[in-house]
Amino acid sequence: MTSTLPNDNIKKTFGEQISNKLISEIIRDRIKLNKKRFHANDNISDFINPGELEILQREVAEKVKDLLKSLVIDIDNDHNSQETAERVAKMYLQEVFKGRYHKRPNVTDFPNAKKLDEIYTLGPISVRSACSHHMVPIIGDCWIGIKPGDKVIGISKFARVADWVFSRPHIQEEAVMILADEIEKLCEPKGLAILVKAKHYCMCWRGVKEPNTSMINSIVRGDFRHDTSLKQEFFELVKQQPNAMACY
């Protein structure tokens, strides 16, 4: 993805700022100029220059204030709602949607020196996202199965990358696909399997209000797709691991 180098773009950035455009408009124009997407579950960090995220956070806070006012909440006199807009803006950009605005965590790969070709699984990895339809939480667990290729990565990195991918507005089916794409880029496994089980608060908090329902979906690639016994082994290993979803 093409990025704008801050040191080479001082004049352009200054010109953008004095044009009285909002920083969100400047970033959006930058993305459109490069003919890239900015869907809810896309990462747009390549188009955000140093210092701009803080400016964007202040802009979002002002928009949240407008939302609260439209909800007829007295943000000037209600002690519970003062600084709520600033907290919400920080939460979205720095925490729950950080996978959109921050670059992927650094991941170092290592050679598979022992030529390990047996599968291993990790999980449950806690994943937290938000439904892109209603912006309410999706909270669940993820299991990852790997049949190594020529490279391996540290097992903690799977959790960091999963957190980065899921920290965006999503639908669960697409989140799992994006996570699979990222893991394949990082370690080029011979086989990859991912299973996610999550509760959707757009279903248990609103709408049909069904609190005991969870969604399970999986994706298998490489040897897991072509070897039925390998796929079965992954699901059997997952069954043997503790299910943290029991606490929800």
Side-chain angles (χ1 to χ4, degrees):
M1 188 176 283
T2 304
S3 62
T4 306
L5 297 175
N7 292 336
D8 297 335
N9 196 39
I10 295 174
K11 291 182 179 179
K12 184 173 184 292
T13 301
F14 179 74
E16 289 172 333
Q17 290 173 343
I18 64 173
S19 68
N20 294 321
K21 280 188 176 182
L22 294 170
I23 191 64
S24 61
E25 296 173 327
I26 293 171
I27 295 169
R28 188 161 50 244
D29 288 348
R30 217 176 272 156
I31 298 170
K32 288 181 176 179
L33 184 66
N34 284 272
K35 296 181 170 57
K36 298 295 183 180
R37 286 187 355 173
F38 50 102
H39 290 186
N41 59 7
D42 288 330
N43 178 275
I44 60 170
S45 61
D46 281 350
F47 301 101
I48 301 175
N49 289 335
E52 290 182 338
L53 195 59
E54 289 75 14
I55 301 171
L56 181 61
Q57 186 173 312
R58 291 198 293 271
E59 179 188 327
V60 172
E62 290 302 314
K63 299 296 184 182
V64 175
K65 286 181 183 177
D66 289 340
L67 171 62
L68 294 173
K69 289 176 182 177
S70 294
L71 291 170
V72 199
I73 296 174
D74 185 356
I75 62 174
D76 296 318
N77 299 298
D78 177 9
H79 61 283
N80 290 319
S81 301
Q82 291 175 8
E83 298 184 12
T84 292
E86 289 79 8
R87 294 188 195 98
V88 171
K90 181 180 179 181
M91 175 188 72
Y92 278 135
L93 272 67
Q94 307 291 349
E95 298 178 82
V96 297
F97 293 164
K98 65 184 177 184
R100 294 200 78 233
Y101 307 103
H102 295 262
K103 294 187 183 297
R104 189 189 68 201
N106 289 328
V107 176
T108 303
D109 61 77
F110 305 93
N112 183 6
K114 296 293 185 180
K115 303 300 179 186
L116 175 68
D117 63 356
E118 299 291 335
I119 74 169
Y120 60 91
T121 66
L122 300 96
I125 297 169
S126 298
V127 289
R128 303 164 188 86
S129 187
C131 164
S132 56
H133 297 155
H134 296 96
M135 296 293 184
V136 294
I138 298 171
I139 300 178
D141 296 312
C142 172
W143 290 263
I144 300 172
I146 296 286
K147 184 177 181 183
D150 294 330
K151 297 191 295 184
V152 294
I153 62 175
I155 59 174
S156 67
K157 305 305 182 185
F158 290 101
R160 294 186 186 279
V161 172
D163 178 60
W164 177 72
V165 167
F166 273 83
S167 295
R168 309 171 194 179
H170 269 300
I171 62 170
Q172 186 172 322
E173 305 93 311
E174 292 182 356
V176 174
M177 293 175 64
I178 294 171
L179 178 57
D181 290 343
E182 291 295 335
I183 292 174
E184 285 190 319
K185 291 177 191 173
L186 287 169
C187 59
E188 300 173 4
K190 291 181 180 177
L192 171 65
I194 301 174
L195 183 145
V196 172
K197 178 181 180 181
K199 282 187 177 294
H200 291 237
Y201 282 73
C202 58
M203 184 173 180
C204 64
W205 187 33
R206 57 159 300 282
V208 296
K209 296 182 179 178
E210 189 59 58
N212 297 316
T213 300
S214 58
M215 178 179 175
I216 302 172
N217 71 311
S218 63
I219 188 169
V220 289
R221 294 183 178 175
D223 288 358
F224 283 99
R225 176 175 288 274
H226 305 302
D227 187 335
T228 305
S229 63
L230 202 64
K231 179 179 176 181
Q232 184 63 32
E233 183 180 353
F234 167 70
F235 288 113
E236 287 297 328
L237 288 170
V238 169
K239 286 181 184 178
Q240 295 173 23
Q241 294 177 346
N243 186 349
M245 282 295 293
C247 70
Y248 297 122

